[in-house]
């Protein structure tokens, strides 16, 4: 059985572009908390709903009262912004 904490701490992948959800999961938690404080509250809201509360895309469409494509685009943009903020933190 592998220890997930080892794979997270050993990650050396550049964080310039978010291609999938795994990159968000690999961010160090303290640095991620700081980055969340730097981004727009709406970006923070959708990221927390999706990744912390494990809300599906379909459920997000109802919560945010927008279409599925809008939810996906907002998530994509929010992920890009969180990565940008994360990379600026020393």
């Amino acid at each position: 059985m592998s220890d997930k904490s080892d794979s997270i701490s050993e990650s050396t992948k550049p964080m310039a572009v978010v291609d999938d959800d795994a990159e968000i999961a690999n961010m160090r938690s303290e640095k991620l908390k700081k980055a969340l404080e730097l981004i727009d509250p709406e970006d923070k809201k959708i990221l927390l709903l999706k990744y912390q509360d494990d809300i599906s895309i379909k459920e997000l469409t109802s919560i945010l009262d927008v279409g599925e494509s809008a939810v996906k685009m907002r998530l994509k943009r929010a992920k890009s912004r969180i990565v940008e903020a994360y990379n600026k933190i020393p």
Side-chain angles (χ1 to χ4, degrees), residues 18-26 50-51 75 79:
V18 176
D19 291 327
D20 58 25
D21 297 342
E23 300 232 20
I24 296 291
N26 287 333
K50 175 70 176 148
Y51 298 103
L75 276 169
K79 286 191 271 185

Side-chain angles (χ1 to χ4, degrees), residues 8 10-17 19-20 22-23 26 86-87:
I8 292 172
E10 294 174 8
S11 176
T12 57
K13 214 171 175 183
M15 297 300 293
V17 178
D19 291 327
D20 58 25
E23 300 232 20
N26 287 333
Y86 182 89
N87 286 331

Side-chain angles (χ1 to χ4, degrees), residues 18-56:
V18 176
D19 291 327
D20 58 25
D21 297 342
E23 300 232 20
I24 296 291
N26 287 333
M27 294 178 166
R28 291 186 308 143
S29 63
E30 286 303 312
K31 195 171 175 182
L32 182 56
K33 286 178 189 177
K34 290 177 185 176
L36 281 168
E37 300 209 3
L38 297 174
I39 64 172
D40 183 84
E42 288 300 312
D43 289 338
K44 181 179 178 177
K45 175 182 170 181
I46 198 165
L47 290 171
L48 292 177
L49 285 169
K50 175 70 176 148
Y51 298 103
Q52 178 180 296
D53 300 335
D54 200 28
I55 304 294
S56 70

